[in-house]
Amino acid sequence: MRTSSCINYYVLCLVFWILLGISGVSTRSHTKVKRMTGLYTGPYFDSSSATNITAQLGTRAFLPCKVRQLGNKSVSWVRKKDSHILSVDRAMFIADDRFQSIFVEHADTWKLQIKYVQAKDEGQYECQISTEPKMSHIIKLNVVVPKIEIEIESNKIELNREKSDGDMYVKSGNTVTLRCVIKQSLEIPSFVFWYHEGDRVPHYDAGDKVQILSKRVDGITDFISNLIIPNTRKEDSGNYTCSPNNLDSASVVLHVLNGEHPAAIQRGKSSIPGCCEVLWWLAGGVTLTQNNSKRLLIFVLTAMMVVLTQSFLPYPASAVPR
Protein backbone atom coordinates (compact mmCIF):
# COMPACT_ATOMS: atom_id res chain seq x y z
CA MET A 1 0.00 0.00 0.00
CA ARG A 2 2.84 2.32 0.88
CA THR A 3 4.56 1.51 -2.40
CA SER A 4 1.45 2.40 -4.36
CA SER A 5 1.12 5.69 -2.52
CA CYS A 6 4.76 6.62 -3.25
CA ILE A 7 4.30 5.82 -6.93
CA ASN A 8 1.19 7.98 -7.08
CA TYR A 9 3.07 10.82 -5.35
CA TYR A 10 5.97 10.74 -7.80
CA VAL A 11 3.61 10.52 -10.76
CA LEU A 12 1.75 13.55 -9.44
CA CYS A 13 4.98 15.54 -9.05
CA LEU A 14 6.06 14.57 -12.57
CA VAL A 15 2.75 15.75 -14.02
CA PHE A 16 3.03 18.99 -12.04
CA TRP A 17 6.55 19.79 -13.33
CA ILE A 18 5.53 18.95 -16.91
CA LEU A 19 2.57 21.31 -16.68
CA LEU A 20 4.76 24.01 -15.16
CA GLY A 21 7.33 23.63 -17.92
CA ILE A 22 4.70 23.85 -20.63
CA SER A 23 3.32 26.96 -18.98
CA GLY A 24 6.78 28.56 -18.90
CA VAL A 25 7.52 27.78 -22.53
CA SER A 26 4.16 29.14 -23.48
CA THR A 27 4.82 32.35 -21.55
CA ARG A 28 8.25 32.92 -23.12
CA SER A 29 6.91 32.22 -26.59
CA HIS A 30 4.11 34.65 -26.01
CA THR A 31 6.50 37.32 -24.84
CA LYS A 32 8.74 36.88 -27.85
CA VAL A 33 5.84 37.06 -30.26
CA LYS A 34 4.49 40.08 -28.46
CA ARG A 35 7.78 42.01 -28.94
CA MET A 36 7.80 41.37 -32.65
CA THR A 37 4.19 42.25 -33.40
CA GLY A 38 2.75 45.64 -34.22
CA LEU A 39 4.04 48.29 -36.65
CA TYR A 40 7.62 46.93 -36.58
CA THR A 41 8.38 43.23 -36.71
CA GLY A 42 12.17 43.70 -36.58
CA PRO A 43 14.81 46.31 -35.64
CA TYR A 44 13.94 49.98 -36.05
CA PHE A 45 15.21 53.42 -35.02
CA ASP A 46 13.30 55.23 -32.30
CA SER A 47 11.65 58.34 -33.75
CA SER A 48 12.99 60.39 -30.82
CA SER A 49 16.61 59.82 -31.91
CA ALA A 50 18.50 63.09 -32.33
CA THR A 51 19.61 64.26 -35.76
CA ASN A 52 21.72 67.28 -34.67
CA ILE A 53 24.26 67.42 -31.85
CA THR A 54 26.32 70.50 -30.93
CA ALA A 55 29.55 70.26 -28.94
CA GLN A 56 32.17 72.79 -27.92
CA LEU A 57 35.75 72.52 -29.07
CA GLY A 58 37.80 70.48 -26.59
CA THR A 59 34.83 68.92 -24.80
CA ARG A 60 33.11 65.52 -25.19
CA ALA A 61 30.40 64.81 -27.74
CA PHE A 62 27.86 62.01 -27.43
CA LEU A 63 25.95 60.95 -30.55
CA PRO A 64 22.95 58.82 -29.49
CA CYS A 65 21.33 56.17 -31.67
CA LYS A 66 18.21 54.51 -30.22
CA VAL A 67 17.56 51.10 -31.73
CA ARG A 68 14.50 49.06 -30.79
CA GLN A 69 14.05 45.28 -31.22
CA LEU A 70 17.66 44.82 -32.32
CA GLY A 71 17.58 41.06 -31.77
CA ASN A 72 20.78 39.43 -33.05
CA LYS A 73 21.71 42.27 -35.39
CA SER A 74 24.73 44.54 -35.02
CA VAL A 75 25.02 48.33 -34.79
CA SER A 76 27.84 50.12 -36.59
CA TRP A 77 29.06 53.73 -36.67
CA VAL A 78 30.37 55.16 -39.95
CA ARG A 79 31.91 58.59 -40.57
CA LYS A 80 30.22 59.86 -43.70
CA LYS A 81 32.89 62.20 -45.07
CA ASP A 82 35.38 59.38 -45.65
CA SER A 83 33.14 56.30 -45.19
CA HIS A 84 35.41 55.14 -42.38
CA ILE A 85 33.86 52.38 -40.23
CA LEU A 86 34.42 53.54 -36.66
CA SER A 87 32.87 50.63 -34.76
CA VAL A 88 30.78 47.46 -34.93
CA ASP A 89 28.90 47.04 -31.67
CA ARG A 90 31.56 47.75 -29.02
CA ALA A 91 34.56 46.81 -31.22
CA MET A 92 36.46 49.87 -32.49
CA PHE A 93 37.99 50.03 -35.98
CA ILE A 94 39.78 53.37 -35.76
CA ALA A 95 43.22 54.09 -34.31
CA ASP A 96 42.05 57.37 -32.76
CA ASP A 97 41.26 56.46 -29.14
CA ARG A 98 39.10 59.57 -28.76
CA PHE A 99 36.29 57.51 -30.29
CA GLN A 100 34.35 54.95 -28.28
CA SER A 101 31.10 53.03 -28.81
CA ILE A 102 28.95 52.78 -25.67
CA PHE A 103 25.77 50.74 -25.21
CA VAL A 104 23.18 51.98 -22.69
CA GLU A 105 21.10 48.86 -22.19
CA HIS A 106 18.13 50.28 -20.29
CA ALA A 107 17.59 52.87 -23.02
CA ASP A 108 18.36 50.63 -26.04
CA THR A 109 20.81 53.34 -27.10
CA TRP A 110 24.18 53.07 -28.82
CA LYS A 111 26.29 56.19 -28.20
CA LEU A 112 29.33 57.26 -30.17
CA GLN A 113 31.56 59.19 -27.79
CA ILE A 114 34.16 61.62 -29.14
CA LYS A 115 36.55 62.98 -26.52
CA TYR A 116 38.43 66.28 -26.86
CA VAL A 117 36.35 67.33 -29.86
CA GLN A 118 38.30 68.97 -32.67
CA ALA A 119 37.06 71.22 -35.45
CA LYS A 120 37.78 68.47 -37.99
CA ASP A 121 35.27 66.18 -36.22
CA GLU A 122 32.37 68.26 -37.47
CA GLY A 123 30.19 66.47 -40.02
CA GLN A 124 27.72 63.61 -40.46
CA TYR A 125 27.89 60.26 -38.72
CA GLU A 126 25.82 57.23 -39.72
CA CYS A 127 24.37 54.70 -37.29
CA GLN A 128 23.79 51.42 -39.19
CA ILE A 129 21.84 48.26 -38.37
CA SER A 130 23.11 45.07 -40.06
CA THR A 131 19.81 44.19 -41.70
CA GLU A 132 19.48 43.38 -45.38
CA PRO A 133 19.28 45.96 -46.80
CA LYS A 134 21.07 48.03 -44.14
CA MET A 135 19.11 50.53 -42.10
CA SER A 136 20.78 53.81 -41.23
CA HIS A 137 20.21 56.93 -39.14
CA ILE A 138 22.24 60.12 -39.81
CA ILE A 139 23.40 62.46 -37.03
CA LYS A 140 25.10 65.79 -37.75
CA LEU A 141 27.79 66.93 -35.31
CA ASN A 142 28.30 70.70 -35.08
CA VAL A 143 31.47 71.94 -33.41
CA VAL A 144 31.37 75.38 -31.79
CA VAL A 145 34.71 77.20 -31.51
CA PRO A 146 34.57 79.86 -28.76
CA LYS A 147 36.27 83.20 -29.38
CA ILE A 148 38.43 84.76 -26.68
CA GLU A 149 39.95 88.24 -26.65
CA ILE A 150 41.13 90.86 -24.18
CA GLU A 151 39.61 94.35 -24.13
CA ILE A 152 40.71 97.25 -21.95
CA GLU A 153 39.00 100.09 -20.10
CA SER A 154 40.50 103.05 -18.31
CA ASN A 155 38.99 105.84 -16.22
CA LYS A 156 40.85 108.44 -18.30
CA ILE A 157 41.05 109.17 -22.01
CA GLU A 158 44.81 108.75 -22.37
CA LEU A 159 44.21 105.12 -23.32
CA ASN A 160 45.38 103.93 -26.71
CA ARG A 161 45.65 100.53 -28.38
CA GLU A 162 48.04 99.85 -31.19
CA LYS A 163 46.18 97.52 -33.56
CA SER A 164 49.36 96.62 -35.40
CA ASP A 165 50.98 94.74 -32.53
CA GLY A 166 48.22 94.32 -29.95
CA ASP A 167 49.98 96.48 -27.35
CA MET A 168 47.98 98.74 -25.04
CA TYR A 169 49.07 102.04 -23.50
CA VAL A 170 47.76 103.86 -20.45
CA LYS A 171 48.95 106.74 -18.28
CA SER A 172 50.20 105.88 -14.81
CA GLY A 173 47.76 106.48 -11.98
CA ASN A 174 44.76 105.27 -13.96
CA THR A 175 42.45 102.47 -12.88
CA VAL A 176 42.66 99.92 -15.68
CA THR A 177 40.30 97.02 -16.32
CA LEU A 178 41.48 94.18 -18.55
CA ARG A 179 38.37 92.39 -19.76
CA CYS A 180 38.70 88.81 -20.98
CA VAL A 181 35.67 88.24 -23.21
CA ILE A 182 34.71 84.68 -24.14
CA LYS A 183 32.09 84.44 -26.87
CA GLN A 184 30.08 81.51 -28.23
CA SER A 185 30.94 79.32 -25.26
CA LEU A 186 28.49 76.50 -24.57
CA GLU A 187 30.13 75.65 -21.26
CA ILE A 188 30.93 78.19 -18.56
CA PRO A 189 34.61 77.96 -17.55
CA SER A 190 35.06 76.45 -14.11
CA PHE A 191 37.73 79.07 -13.48
CA VAL A 192 39.73 81.74 -15.29
CA PHE A 193 43.34 82.39 -14.27
CA TRP A 194 45.20 85.62 -15.02
CA TYR A 195 48.98 85.74 -15.42
CA HIS A 196 51.34 88.74 -15.37
CA GLU A 197 54.70 88.04 -16.98
CA GLY A 198 54.11 84.32 -16.42
CA ASP A 199 53.23 84.64 -12.72
CA ARG A 200 49.68 83.90 -11.66
CA VAL A 201 47.77 86.92 -10.38
CA PRO A 202 45.98 86.23 -7.05
CA HIS A 203 42.19 86.22 -7.27
CA TYR A 204 41.90 89.17 -4.92
CA ASP A 205 44.54 91.26 -3.20
CA ALA A 206 43.16 93.60 -0.56
CA GLY A 207 46.43 95.50 -0.51
CA ASP A 208 45.40 97.92 -3.27
CA LYS A 209 46.63 95.65 -6.02
CA VAL A 210 44.20 93.76 -8.23
CA GLN A 211 40.74 92.28 -8.23
CA ILE A 212 39.34 89.56 -10.50
CA LEU A 213 35.59 89.37 -11.17
CA SER A 214 34.01 86.76 -13.44
CA LYS A 215 30.42 86.53 -14.64
CA ARG A 216 28.22 85.32 -17.47
CA VAL A 217 26.94 88.09 -19.68
CA ASP A 218 23.22 88.57 -20.29
CA GLY A 219 22.43 85.99 -22.92
CA ILE A 220 23.64 82.45 -23.37
CA THR A 221 27.08 82.21 -24.90
CA ASP A 222 29.21 85.08 -23.53
CA PHE A 223 31.39 85.09 -20.40
CA ILE A 224 33.60 87.85 -18.96
CA SER A 225 36.47 87.85 -16.49
CA ASN A 226 37.73 91.29 -15.42
CA LEU A 227 41.20 92.02 -14.05
CA ILE A 228 41.02 95.41 -12.30
CA ILE A 229 44.31 97.25 -11.66
CA PRO A 230 43.84 100.42 -9.56
CA ASN A 231 46.39 103.25 -9.56
CA THR A 232 48.60 101.73 -12.24
CA ARG A 233 52.35 102.04 -11.85
CA LYS A 234 55.29 101.42 -14.13
CA GLU A 235 55.82 97.94 -12.65
CA ASP A 236 52.30 96.98 -13.79
CA SER A 237 53.57 97.00 -17.39
CA GLY A 238 54.08 93.69 -19.14
CA ASN A 239 52.33 90.70 -20.65
CA TYR A 240 48.90 89.78 -19.27
CA THR A 241 47.35 86.40 -20.11
CA CYS A 242 43.77 85.27 -19.60
CA SER A 243 43.58 81.47 -19.29
CA PRO A 244 40.18 79.72 -18.94
CA ASN A 245 40.34 76.09 -17.83
CA ASN A 246 38.53 74.77 -20.92
CA LEU A 247 39.84 77.05 -23.69
CA ASP A 248 43.00 78.43 -25.21
CA SER A 249 44.46 81.52 -23.59
CA ALA A 250 44.65 85.12 -24.87
CA SER A 251 47.40 87.66 -24.15
CA VAL A 252 48.06 91.38 -24.42
CA VAL A 253 50.97 93.66 -23.52
CA LEU A 254 50.20 96.65 -21.30
CA HIS A 255 52.48 99.70 -21.20
CA VAL A 256 52.08 102.08 -18.27
CA LEU A 257 53.49 105.45 -19.32
CA ASN A 258 55.10 108.04 -17.06
CA GLY A 259 54.95 110.87 -19.57
CA GLU A 260 56.49 108.89 -22.42
CA HIS A 261 54.88 108.87 -25.81
CA PRO A 262 53.73 105.49 -27.21
CA ALA A 263 55.53 106.18 -30.49
CA ALA A 264 58.77 106.77 -28.63
CA ILE A 265 58.44 103.36 -26.99
CA GLN A 266 57.82 101.71 -30.33
CA ARG A 267 60.73 103.42 -32.12
CA GLY A 268 63.25 103.01 -29.32
CA LYS A 269 66.68 104.61 -29.22
CA SER A 270 67.67 103.38 -32.66
CA SER A 271 64.69 105.00 -34.37
CA ILE A 272 66.12 108.46 -35.02
CA PRO A 273 64.51 109.56 -38.30
CA GLY A 274 66.60 109.15 -41.41
CA CYS A 275 66.67 112.90 -41.99
CA CYS A 276 68.44 113.39 -38.62
CA GLU A 277 71.11 110.88 -39.56
CA VAL A 278 71.64 112.75 -42.80
CA LEU A 279 72.07 115.97 -40.86
CA TRP A 280 74.72 114.38 -38.67
CA TRP A 281 76.63 113.21 -41.75
CA LEU A 282 76.24 116.65 -43.29
CA ALA A 283 77.62 118.28 -40.17
CA GLY A 284 80.66 116.02 -40.22
CA GLY A 285 81.30 116.72 -43.88
CA VAL A 286 80.99 120.45 -43.42
CA THR A 287 83.35 120.52 -40.46
CA LEU A 288 85.99 118.68 -42.44
CA THR A 289 85.86 121.15 -45.29
CA GLN A 290 85.89 124.35 -43.20
CA ASN A 291 88.78 125.98 -41.41
CA ASN A 292 89.25 125.39 -37.71
CA SER A 293 87.73 128.70 -36.63
CA LYS A 294 84.31 127.86 -38.04
CA ARG A 295 84.10 124.17 -37.07
CA LEU A 296 82.82 124.66 -33.57
CA LEU A 297 80.10 127.13 -34.62
CA ILE A 298 78.84 124.93 -37.47
CA PHE A 299 78.84 121.83 -35.27
CA VAL A 300 76.78 123.60 -32.59
CA LEU A 301 74.26 124.94 -35.14
CA THR A 302 73.89 121.50 -36.71
CA ALA A 303 73.37 119.87 -33.33
CA MET A 304 70.64 122.40 -32.51
CA MET A 305 68.94 121.66 -35.84
CA VAL A 306 68.94 117.92 -35.05
CA VAL A 307 67.37 118.50 -31.64
CA LEU A 308 64.66 120.77 -33.06
CA THR A 309 63.89 118.34 -35.88
CA GLN A 310 63.59 115.44 -33.42
CA SER A 311 61.23 117.44 -31.21
CA PHE A 312 58.81 118.60 -33.89
CA LEU A 313 58.61 115.51 -36.13
CA PRO A 314 54.95 114.36 -36.33
CA TYR A 315 54.07 111.03 -34.74
CA PRO A 316 52.17 108.37 -36.65
CA ALA A 317 48.44 109.00 -36.33
CA SER A 318 47.79 105.50 -35.00
CA ALA A 319 50.20 106.06 -32.11
CA VAL A 320 48.80 109.35 -30.79
CA PRO A 321 46.81 108.84 -27.58
CA ARG A 322 43.17 109.83 -27.86
Side-chain angles (χ1 to χ4, degrees), residues 13-290:
C13 289
L14 180 61
V15 172
F16 175 80
W17 283 110
I18 292 174
L19 292 175
L20 188 64
I22 294 173
S23 176
V25 171
S26 176
T27 302
R28 287 194 296 272
S29 300
H30 174 71
T31 302
K32 186 174 181 180
V33 172
K34 184 177 180 181
R35 291 186 61 189
M36 295 299 182
T37 57
L39 182 61
Y40 299 98
T41 57
Y44 67 95
F45 295 105
D46 193 305
S47 59
S48 64
S49 295
T51 57
N52 271 283
I53 297 295
T54 301
Q56 182 171 302
L57 184 75
T59 62
R60 295 191 183 196
F62 291 93
L63 281 59
C65 180
K66 294 185 178 182
V67 181
R68 306 297 187 186
Q69 300 181 176
L70 180 61
N72 61 354
K73 302 300 182 182
S74 298
V75 173
S76 304
W77 281 100
V78 179
R79 188 167 54 195
K80 289 285 289 182
K81 66 180 180 182
D82 57 3
S83 299
H84 193 299
I85 298 176
L86 304 176
S87 67
V88 177
D89 291 339
R90 290 188 177 89
M92 302 306 299
F93 292 88
I94 183 171
D96 191 340
D97 59 5
R98 296 183 304 117
F99 292 83
Q100 184 180 2
S101 178
I102 302 172
F103 179 56
V104 183
E105 187 172 0
H106 71 273
D108 289 337
T109 301
W110 288 88
K111 290 185 177 182
L112 178 65
Q113 175 185 244
I114 307 175
K115 295 182 288 186
Y116 313 111
V117 171
Q118 302 174 8
K120 67 178 183 180
D121 296 327
E122 185 171 87
Q124 292 184 331
Y125 293 82
E126 183 177 359
C127 176
Q128 290 184 353
I129 303 176
S130 62
T131 54
E132 189 59 45
K134 284 185 172 60
M135 302 172 64
S136 63
H137 175 71
I138 305 295
I139 300 178
K140 170 71 183 301
L141 174 63
N142 306 290
V143 178
V144 173
V145 182
K147 299 178 181 179
I148 178 171
E149 61 181 7
I150 298 179
E151 301 173 352
I152 185 170
E153 276 189 5
S154 174
N155 62 338
K156 294 184 181 180
I157 63 173
E158 289 89 346
L159 176 68
N160 182 60
R161 174 165 182 168
E162 286 297 311
K163 295 182 179 179
S164 60
D165 57 9
D167 289 8
M168 297 178 175
Y169 302 88
V170 65
K171 295 290 186 180
S172 61
N174 285 11
T175 294
V176 174
T177 299
L178 296 178
R179 178 177 291 112
C180 181
V181 182
I182 303 171
K183 298 182 178 180
Q184 300 179 4
S185 176
L186 301 180
E187 297 185 8
I188 301 176
S190 300
F191 55 84
V192 176
F193 287 153
W194 282 90
Y195 296 89
H196 178 217
E197 291 295 315
D199 296 326
R200 183 182 164 191
V201 179
H203 186 74
Y204 179 77
D205 185 350
D208 191 31
K209 183 60 179 174
V210 298
Q211 183 178 4
I212 300 175
L213 300 173
S214 300
K215 66 176 182 178
R216 178 173 281 282
V217 185
D218 293 339
I220 302 176
T221 61
D222 290 357
F223 183 83
I224 288 179
S225 177
N226 293 330
L227 174 63
I228 303 171
I229 311 174
N231 191 27
T232 52
R233 299 182 291 271
K234 191 72 175 177
E235 53 265 33
D236 293 322
S237 297
N239 180 286
Y240 285 87
T241 299
C242 165
S243 181
N245 69 295
N246 59 341
L247 298 172
D248 292 334
S249 58
S251 298
V252 70
V253 178
L254 179 69
H255 299 278
V256 180
L257 309 178
N258 289 328
E260 307 100 319
H261 199 286
I265 295 177
Q266 285 188 320
R267 290 199 303 266
K269 294 181 180 180
S270 63
S271 58
I272 298 177
C275 61
C276 296
E277 295 181 2
V278 172
L279 288 174
W280 279 108
W281 282 104
L282 179 61
V286 171
T287 54
L288 290 175
T289 58
Q290 300 297 323

